[in-house]
Amino acid sequence: MKQLLEVLGFVALVQGVLGLVHEFTDWHVGLVQRLGFLDGYGVYASVTLVVLAFALFAAAESRKSG
């Protein structure tokens, strides 16, 4: 379970950072910019993904290993 939380946290962190890169540089990377219902809310969605990633990392750390 700990490894699953870490992997999900990593994916959320990468997608959040890529979403912010897209918003500020117009590079067409990441999943956030491809979702139509997030038009106009890309920065908010990306920041939310980054915060979610840190929450998942914290949850993974609180779990016992093994």
Side-chain angles (χ1 to χ4, degrees), residues 34-50:
R34 297 181 194 277
L35 299 175
F37 64 90
L38 291 176
D39 283 347
Y41 298 102
V43 173
Y44 301 115
S46 297
V47 169
T48 302
L49 280 171
V50 170

Side-chain angles (χ1 to χ4, degrees), residues 5-16:
L5 290 172
E6 289 174 345
V7 168
L8 290 175
F10 178 74
V11 170
L13 181 65
V14 168
Q15 289 301 316

Side-chain angles (χ1 to χ4, degrees), residues 23 31 42 47 50-51 58:
E23 290 296 324
L31 182 65
V47 169
V50 170
V51 170

Side-chain angles (χ1 to χ4, degrees), residues 16-59:
V17 169
L18 287 176
L20 289 172
V21 166
H22 168 73
E23 290 296 324
F24 294 118
T25 64
D26 275 341
W27 287 1
H28 297 292
V29 293
L31 182 65
V32 173
Q33 60 109 4
R34 297 181 194 277
L35 299 175
F37 64 90
L38 291 176
D39 283 347
Y41 298 102
V43 173
Y44 301 115
S46 297
V47 169
T48 302
L49 280 171
V50 170
V51 170
L52 174 67
F54 285 113
L56 287 169
F57 288 142

